[in-house]
Amino acid sequence: QVQLVESGGDLVQPGGSLRLSCAASGSIFSINAMGWYRQAPGKERELVAVVFSGGSTNYADSVKGRFTISRDNAKNTVYLQMNSLKPEDTAVYYCNFKGTVGFGIRYLEVWGQGTLVTVSS
């Protein structure tokens, strides 16, 4: 199995910055992609940013130019640097793992427990 441990959510003023971290552990064989999704009250969960095994990334239009996703392969950890935060960025942010475990024959998608980001003055 795979466990995800998220950290970094907090209350921040508009225009401020935060960095989220998500560390994956367990019997990981390979990681196809790790990313961040968010869900605001009354809204559906949406993709924020994802980094693929080859290093390519994808961002939601609403965060392009403000958020940066990065990874540390040695630590199986993904980061989300969030700058110029806006009140509309307020949401629970969930880490997502897609990859294989064991000897690489079992594919898993795993979600973290979520970390709350609140942008408010």
Side-chain angles (χ1 to χ4, degrees):
Q1 294 295 331
V2 175
Q3 297 79 40
L4 301 178
V5 177
E6 302 157 329
S7 62
D10 206 344
L11 170 64
V12 63
Q13 292 187 345
S17 298
L18 279 177
R19 189 175 85 150
L20 306 182
S21 299
C22 174
S25 62
S27 55
I28 298 170
F29 183 82
S30 66
I31 299 176
N32 294 7
M34 287 187 70
W36 292 93
Y37 290 70
R38 68 185 180 187
Q39 187 166 20
K43 295 188 176 181
E44 294 186 353
R45 190 174 298 188
E46 63 176 0
L47 173 69
V48 177
V50 60
V51 57
F52 298 95
S53 59
S56 61
T57 58
N58 192 29
Y59 294 91
D61 288 343
S62 60
V63 307
K64 284 180 181 177
R66 299 188 298 122
F67 291 11
T68 302
I69 191 168
S70 61
R71 65 181 185 181
D72 183 332
N73 291 334
K75 297 180 180 180
N76 288 337
T77 298
V78 64
Y79 306 96
L80 184 68
Q81 179 65 43
M82 304 186 293
N83 299 328
S84 302
L85 282 161
K86 304 175 181 179
E88 51 263 43
D89 294 317
T90 295
V92 177
Y93 285 69
Y94 295 92
C95 181
N96 178 266
F97 165 98
K98 295 182 178 70
T100 58
V101 297
F103 294 104
I105 60 175
R106 185 181 177 201
Y107 178 84
L108 280 183
E109 180 176 17
V110 181
W111 292 93
Q113 79 282 1
T115 185
L116 177 62
V117 172
T118 303
V119 185
S120 175
S121 55

